[in-house]
Amino acid sequence: MRFPVLVEVRLRPGIADPQGATIQRALPALGFAGVAEVRVGKAIRFTVEATDAAAARGQVDELCQRLLANPVIEDTAVTIG
Amino acid sequence: MRFPVLVEVRLRPGIADPQGATIQRALPALGFAGVAEVRVGKAIRFTVEATDAAAARGQVDELCQRLLANPVIEDTAVTIG
């Protein structure tokens, strides 16, 4: 069975996010006053072949650790299905 | 009131995604055979000040069009709350 997967890769709290800071600095000039705490991460979508959702999650968790994220500075959140 | 927002910025279908293609090419060497259709987008999180959820969504939709995405090649999906 093929499962659609979404992995969100976020910088851990406390890790500097220059891309988010740049977006936030640009906002007042565009008329957006009430936006704060901007953090930019990655949204990685793919499909994975597995016998059931638990097996899919196991594969995806390993994939996150080995390829998609740097666990020193990044967290991942996995959504399957 | 302050609303937490997640904006997912994705490349439109048909737009080439070299980052996703690179991840996909790396997978067989790492032992992940069943992964396909890898697409890499952005996950942008922030908080927005608004009177209610509808007003927050209006602000975020405008922000997506004017700053966060390039509507020619990118789609956005907004989650509020």
Side-chain angles (χ1 to χ4, degrees):
Chain A
M1 238 181 116
R2 202 153 257 297
F3 294 88
V5 178
L6 168 63
V7 175
E8 183 186 350
V9 181
R10 304 183 268 236
L11 287 167
R12 286 180 182 273
I15 303 289
D17 180 357
Q19 203 178 351
T22 300
I23 291 174
Q24 199 160 324
R25 269 200 311 275
L27 292 169
L30 291 169
F32 297 97
V35 178
E37 299 164 72
V38 183
R39 305 283 284 174
V40 180
K42 276 175 276 189
I44 305 171
R45 286 188 181 269
F46 52 88
T47 61
V48 63
E49 181 69 44
T51 49
D52 54 38
R57 178 167 289 272
Q59 270 197 63
V60 173
D61 285 345
E62 206 195 329
L63 193 54
C64 286
Q65 287 191 356
R66 292 182 59 196
L67 183 69
L68 300 181
N70 174 352
V72 177
I73 59 166
E74 291 170 329
D75 278 329
T76 55
V78 174
T79 312
I80 290 182
Chain B
M1 235 180 117
R2 203 153 256 297
F3 294 89
V5 178
L6 168 63
V7 176
E8 184 185 350
V9 182
R10 303 183 267 235
L11 288 167
R12 285 180 182 274
I15 303 288
D17 179 357
Q19 203 179 352
T22 301
I23 290 174
Q24 199 161 324
R25 269 201 310 277
L27 291 171
L30 290 169
F32 297 98
V35 177
E37 299 164 72
V38 183
R39 304 284 283 173
V40 180
K42 275 175 277 191
I44 305 172
R45 286 188 180 269
F46 52 89
T47 61
V48 62
E49 182 69 44
T51 48
D52 55 37
R57 179 167 288 272
Q59 270 197 62
V60 173
D61 285 345
E62 206 195 330
L63 191 56
C64 287
Q65 286 191 355
R66 293 182 58 196
L67 183 68
L68 300 182
N70 173 353
V72 177
I73 58 166
E74 290 170 330
D75 278 329
T76 54
V78 174
T79 312
I80 291 183

